[in-house]
Amino acid sequence: MKTTCPYCGVGCGVAATVDEAGSVTIAGDPDHPANFGRLCSKGAALGETLDPDGRLLRPWVDGRPADWDNALDLVAARFADTIAEHGPDSVAFYVSGQFLTEDYYVANKLMKGFIGSANIDTNSRLCMASTVAGHRRAFGTDTVPGCYADLEQADLVVLVGSNLAWCHPVLYQRLAAARAARPEMRLVVIDPRRTATADAADLHLAIRPDGDAALFNGLLVHLADTDALDRAYLAAHTEGLDEALAAARGLDVAGLAAATGLDAGPIARFFALFRDTRRVVTVFSQGVNQSTGGTDKVNAILNCHLATGRIGRPGMGPFSVTGQPNAMGGREVGGLANQLAAHMDLADPADRERVRRFWNAPCMPEAGGLKAVDLFQAMADGRVKAVWIMCTNPVDSLPDADRVAAALDACPFVVVSDAMADTDTTRHADVLLPAAGWSEKDGTVTNSERRISRQRAFRAAPGEARPDWWALVEVARRMGFGDAFPYRNAAEIFREHAALSAIDNHGARDFDIGGLAGLSDPAYDALEPVQWPARTAAEAALPDRRFFADGRFYTASGRGRLVPVIPPTARPAAADSFVLNTGRVRDHWHTLTRTGLSPRLSAHLAEPFAEIHPADARRIGAAEAGLLRIESDRGAILVRALVTDRVPSGSVFVPMHWTDRFASAARVDAVIPPATDPHSGQPGSKSATVRVTPYAAAWYGFAVLADRPRAVDAAYWALARAHNGWKLELADAAPVSNWAAWIRTLIGIADSDPAVQVLAYRDAKAGIHRVAAFRDDRLIGALFVGPDPVAVSRTWAAERLGDGPAEPRQRYAILAGRAGGDQPDPGAIVCSCFAVGVNRIVAAIAGQGCASVNEIGAATNAGTNCGSCRAEIQRIVDHARSRDTGIEKAG
């Protein structure tokens, strides 16, 4: 079955095969134009995430099982009663860029057309709202001009705030292949961190956080002063150049250096590369968007492309890559609180009337609704009294996350639809509704290059799980709107969505898929990936298409707008403060509800961490692999210290993924303030001011467990899946008085269980405790404790959970925490796709003479699938070359 990956906005095609036993094999779809058969580590491991463990299998009401009829009756009645008493703006939906387009469409139609409120927003507000606002200011509509092929056709690719190698790996591999074929092609990476992507760049600009707008303002001035503007294009097709240039000239050379944190030489080199290269693509992502000045950053980038006419043509243009699989589809149906369907404008009376008439809606809001951050504040202060949260986990993903949890507790009625029973958000629900997940639900998604692909069901949903659109339709029917929601399947919804996109258009709007409105159910089922616009069936069949090459835009004047941008003033940081940057890691996704199910994806980076510069670590007294407490006036987290010069001094980087289900105190958004961009409402998640102090642990521990522990009595713990069990990192400032009892509780051993044999080693004076427990000669748990971070091979120890009956010699090896000669230790996993550890790579260098990433790939397979580990392999090779004698192994 051909379907589409549910992770990032690249939108890779997936081929899923189900055997007679129900096992699923995943491969890339070689015919899909987004990936041509490639998959990243997350996509390749999708089959491992289909475990039914933890699924929400039936509705629950007030903590008790319920049936669908009673649960839906209650949802409809509570929403209707709240609206009757307090008005339509007293209720809200909060939805997700992981929705399918059909789910999104029904949710927006119900809220905006029939409830009569615009209080529907989406977690896409957290990742691409500033791009939407910037596009609309410059182009008149939210249009991504180019397509993926432009990255391969460009002579210069500029990545701004994008760790493409880790966050959009398949797109990065397309870029890497193009560079290998054309060595003259250049790559510039603009990012405060030296990421895996930056390692491959011809030029890395380690910019100060929030310095992007100043840098591109400076570029605009440089282009003007060196006669590099396209004056003919500007005169014929744009407006606003003089005002944009006047604003950009607000910084002199010294001011630009201060605002960006960059030396004059690298700035000049970047400016010259951009000036002298005609085919330039500028890719931007969350490092641009997730800022309180994100919209201005977007427009500063767009200004440079408009001013040089480098837009909408092969190999040139600005390119926003989205973080979620269907953030684009949500934008198409008006998923944000200030949008209408089909890229129509909620503030435009003509557009409102057009949509109202098409829907035959009884009421339409005349103003935008509450954006995500404001929406949860409205719950906290009592303005919103009923909310339905679908397919997202805001207690982890929104800023000021502890206050988000408190807001849900304060809200009188909370409904949560989710595939998983236990998330940090479902814990606050009055009603839980079981949702179908990937592989079970049917519909469409749109990727970052405007390409619509089918996501197809190839397995039955477990228990009583149902598609989200179905639950919405059932509630709409119970609220008296059944005639407007007659849908029997996703195809019927899609046809209506396509027909709405074409109504009264005649080229006035960019989004038009009217050519797909006549699809029959079988044609919808067989729909191949199609890039919009698709105004006719013939246009839908065309290959890669671009916008704005003809100089026609969707503004009132028909011209592209250069927007004046005034960068924020760089403020000196307090001596004891750090700038906190947040983001993703290579093998995990959002809040671990899916990737946390895969042992393979938990092998590379298995616990929350903070990257901190060595000079900063020395200054605050933090030790490598020790723990750091990171706090703001909003909250605090406790994470592992990763001391590295890959982050600049004065900053720390913490991933966003870990939740209260997987760690004791690592919800990084609890530390982020709720400040937002004034134009887009997008939170600034990349540059919070925090304090960082070392945590004085009395002991550290590591455990492998056959079963998930019911409770962990430690201030710091982080849990990760392993094959046949779990891995657990531990630490606490308080000593343990009775280690024997503590260990038995952790592993889940009854004192009187005669079937359990326990081996133990203790050096009380040194603070070392080691225990291995066996049932029927099989390992069920092992714990290693010491006064410092425990030097045990995590990968090797976890693999012992799957071993057959352990001989006495093997048991003592487990207690020692290291492999014997007959059990090679792979070391820390580097390549998740093929489970290749650092020790195996080092052995290939030392024993087989491998001297390059490609040679290591040939010897071990590492780096030969998604390629996102190639930068890390290169660093291992470089380290080996730099040593005068010998090669160190890592555990």
Side-chain angles (χ1 to χ4, degrees):
M1 175 68 73
K2 289 188 175 182
T3 184
T4 309
C5 181
Y7 290 121
C8 75
V10 175
C12 294
V14 171
T17 304
V18 184
D19 65 19
E20 293 181 356
S23 296
V24 178
T25 301
I26 298 295
D29 177 2
D31 300 320
H32 197 288
N35 60 313
F36 299 107
R38 297 181 181 92
L39 287 178
C40 74
S41 59
K42 295 183 289 293
L46 274 167
E48 297 175 20
T49 70
L50 302 179
D51 189 333
D53 184 36
R55 286 295 299 268
L56 180 60
L57 299 177
R58 63 180 305 174
W60 289 70
V61 174
D62 295 329
R64 295 184 295 274
D67 60 49
W68 268 107
D69 278 337
N70 287 332
L72 293 168
D73 286 346
L74 176 62
V75 173
R78 287 294 297 270
F79 268 74
D81 291 348
T82 302
I83 293 165
E85 184 174 356
H86 301 287
D89 287 336
S90 65
V91 302
F93 293 168
Y94 187 64
V95 297
S96 169
Q98 295 173 77
F99 251 14
L100 300 185
T101 300
E102 292 76 5
D103 303 320
Y104 250 134
Y105 180 86
V106 175
N108 274 275
K109 180 177 178 179
L110 175 57
M111 179 57 74
K112 289 172 179 165
F114 291 82
I115 290 174
S117 172
N119 281 352
I120 175 169
D121 212 42
T122 165
N123 60 16
S124 298
R125 178 73 60 186
L126 313 181
C127 73
M128 37 51 66
S130 289
T131 288
V132 174
H135 282 168
R136 292 181 67 177
R137 290 204 296 184
F139 306 147
T141 191
D142 174 26
T143 309
V144 174
C147 50
Y148 293 161
D150 292 325
L151 275 73
E152 297 162 320
Q153 296 165 353
D155 293 320
L156 170 64
V157 173
V158 182
L159 299 178
V160 191
S162 168
N163 185 9
L164 203 70
W166 276 24
C167 300
H168 300 91
V170 169
L171 202 55
Y172 176 77
Q173 285 308 306
R174 290 185 61 169
L175 173 61
R179 293 181 72 206
R182 292 194 294 120
E184 69 276 11
M185 186 179 181
R186 293 291 174 260
L187 175 65
V188 174
V189 171
I190 302 170
D191 196 309
R193 300 166 61 219
R194 195 170 80 250
T195 63
T197 310
D199 282 342
D202 298 290
L203 175 63
H204 171 217
L205 299 180
I207 197 166
R208 184 186 65 80
D210 287 333
D212 312 85
L215 180 67
F216 281 88
N217 265 5
L219 174 60
L220 182 65
V221 171
H222 174 81
L223 295 170
D225 290 349
T226 58
D227 198 27
L229 302 183
D230 188 334
R231 295 288 179 178
Y233 184 90
L234 284 163
H237 303 302
T238 73
E239 59 193 13
L241 173 64
D242 292 343
E243 294 83 356
L245 265 176
R249 292 191 186 280
L251 286 177
D252 58 14
V253 174
L256 181 59
T260 61
L262 300 171
D263 293 334
I267 293 176
R269 186 180 173 198
F270 167 55
F271 286 1
L273 276 170
F274 194 104
R275 179 195 67 215
D276 297 336
T277 308
R278 181 63 182 161
R279 293 193 299 176
V280 180
V281 172
T282 303
V283 177
F284 54 96
S285 191
Q286 307 315 331
V288 168
N289 289 319
Q290 290 181 334
S291 165
T292 56
T295 304
D296 280 346
K297 291 182 182 183
V298 170
N299 283 113
I301 293 168
L302 302 185
N303 285 348
C304 294
H305 279 271
L306 287 170
T308 54
R310 295 169 182 168
I311 188 166
R313 302 175 187 180
M316 61 182 78
F319 201 113
S320 161
V321 289
T322 54
Q324 296 193 76
N326 203 29
M328 289 286 280
R331 290 148 77 169
E332 294 160 9
V333 301
L336 295 171
N338 55 327
Q339 294 179 324
L340 271 182
H343 284 194
M344 285 185 263
D345 187 354
L346 185 60
D348 185 330
D351 279 352
R352 289 200 306 272
E353 174 56 23
R354 186 175 289 114
V355 176
R356 189 209 64 76
R357 185 177 72 248
F358 182 88
W359 282 343
N360 194 24
C363 51
M364 292 283 288
E366 295 185 0
L370 294 166
K371 300 181 176 95
V373 172
D374 297 332
L375 174 59
F376 284 83
Q377 181 56 49
M379 291 179 217
D381 63 28
R383 286 175 289 151
V384 169
K385 302 176 184 299
V387 65
W388 190 352
I389 298 167
M390 305 172 224
C391 198
T392 187
N393 198 4
V395 172
D396 293 308
S397 58
L398 273 166
D400 205 7
D402 288 344
R403 278 66 174 183
V404 170
L408 290 176
D409 288 337
C411 187
F413 189 60
V414 176
V415 184
V416 178
S417 296
D418 207 296
M420 305 306 293
D422 183 20
T423 74
D424 290 353
T425 298
T426 61
R427 295 172 181 180
H428 299 270
D430 299 296
V431 176
L432 280 174
L433 300 177
W438 183 82
S439 77
E440 305 152 6
K441 58 185 181 178
D442 193 63
T444 57
V445 293
T446 305
N447 72 2
S448 295
E449 65 168 350
R450 313 183 319 276
R451 197 174 299 277
I452 299 168
S453 297
R454 288 280 279 110
Q455 202 176 99
R456 296 179 173 92
F458 56 87
R459 300 165 70 242
E464 299 176 29
R466 298 289 185 271
D468 290 290
W469 67 261
W470 178 89
L472 285 156
V473 165
E474 288 296 311
V475 168
R477 183 173 63 82
R478 286 165 168 81
M479 293 180 72
F481 309 131
D483 289 347
F485 295 84
Y487 315 116
R488 296 167 298 174
N489 56 39
E492 293 182 348
I493 303 168
F494 182 83
R495 284 193 289 269
E496 181 176 307
H497 160 54
L500 174 56
S501 76
I503 186 173
D504 301 338
N505 194 352
H506 312 298
R509 297 188 303 275
D510 62 336
F511 179 71
D512 187 335
I513 57 170
L516 304 176
L519 290 177
S520 65
D521 284 10
Y524 174 80
D525 289 341
L527 182 66
E528 294 293 328
V530 56
Q531 190 179 39
W532 62 260
R535 291 172 282 255
T536 65
E539 187 178 37
L542 295 175
D544 293 337
R545 276 158 297 148
R546 300 168 178 85
F547 279 92
F548 311 137
D550 59 3
R552 291 185 293 178
F553 295 85
Y554 294 93
T555 60
S557 65
R559 292 172 171 265
R561 296 191 198 104
L562 282 80
V563 177
V565 171
I566 300 177
T569 303
R571 292 175 295 177
D576 62 344
S577 70
F578 287 77
V579 175
L580 171 63
N581 182 8
T582 66
R584 294 178 176 145
V585 299
R586 188 187 77 193
D587 295 341
H588 278 309
W589 175 254
H590 282 197
T591 60
L592 296 177
T593 50
R594 181 180 286 117
T595 55
L597 299 171
S598 167
R600 188 190 337 180
L601 297 179
S602 296
H604 181 237
L605 294 169
E607 63 179 317
F609 62 89
E611 291 182 347
I612 184 171
H613 192 274
D616 293 329
R618 289 191 296 271
R619 176 169 57 84
I620 68 171
E624 175 68 64
L627 296 176
L628 297 175
R629 177 179 169 86
I630 299 175
E631 60 184 322
S632 69
D633 57 357
R634 298 287 169 173
I637 58 174
L638 191 61
V639 295
R640 186 75 67 180
L642 176 56
V643 180
T644 174
D645 62 2
R646 303 181 72 79
V647 292
S649 180
S651 70
V652 289
F653 170 83
V654 179
M656 60 166 282
H657 308 288
W658 276 268
T659 72
D660 286 347
R661 293 185 65 247
F662 289 94
S664 55
R667 291 164 48 246
V668 69
D669 281 307
V671 181
I672 303 295
T676 60
D677 180 284
H679 304 287
S680 68
Q682 181 158 354
S685 301
K686 297 290 188 182
S687 56
T689 300
V690 296
R691 297 173 296 280
V692 182
T693 54
Y695 177 80
W699 58 270
Y700 293 86
F702 170 71
V704 294
L705 306 166
D707 298 314
R708 180 176 181 137
R710 295 182 179 179
V712 182
D713 184 15
Y716 174 81
W717 58 266
L719 190 65
R721 285 273 189 167
H723 291 288
N724 301 301
W726 299 85
K727 297 180 292 186
L728 180 64
E729 299 286 347
L730 299 152
D732 205 310
V736 174
S737 59
N738 186 340
W739 275 109
W742 194 95
I743 291 167
R744 283 183 170 271
T745 299
L746 178 70
I747 299 176
I749 306 171
D751 290 338
S752 58
D753 189 344
V756 174
Q757 306 89 43
V758 177
L759 290 179
Y761 170 83
R762 182 181 67 164
D763 184 338
K765 185 176 181 181
I768 295 172
H769 302 266
R770 297 193 171 204
V771 173
F774 301 84
R775 179 178 282 116
D776 299 326
D777 296 332
R778 293 178 184 272
L779 180 69
I780 60 171
L783 175 69
F784 310 89
V785 174
D788 300 304
V790 180
V792 170
S793 173
R794 271 78 171 147
T795 303
W796 179 85
E799 287 175 349
R800 304 288 71 76
L801 291 168
D803 281 355
E807 300 296 329
R809 181 167 56 87
Q810 295 169 328
R811 296 188 192 188
Y812 284 105
I814 291 170
L815 193 66
R818 60 179 181 269
D822 59 339
Q823 293 177 318
D825 176 6
I829 295 298
V830 175
C831 174
S832 297
C833 295
F834 295 107
V836 180
V838 63
N839 289 349
R840 189 174 171 197
I841 294 170
V842 167
I845 297 170
Q848 297 173 254
C850 295
S852 70
V853 174
N854 288 339
E855 289 177 2
I856 287 171
T860 69
N861 283 330
T864 62
N865 182 40
C866 76
S868 53
C869 62
R870 291 174 67 87
E872 195 168 347
I873 296 170
Q874 184 65 59
R875 290 198 294 272
I876 297 170
V877 171
D878 292 344
H879 177 70
R881 286 174 178 167
S882 69
R883 297 186 61 82
D884 293 330
T885 57
I887 299 176
E888 287 186 343
K889 286 189 176 183

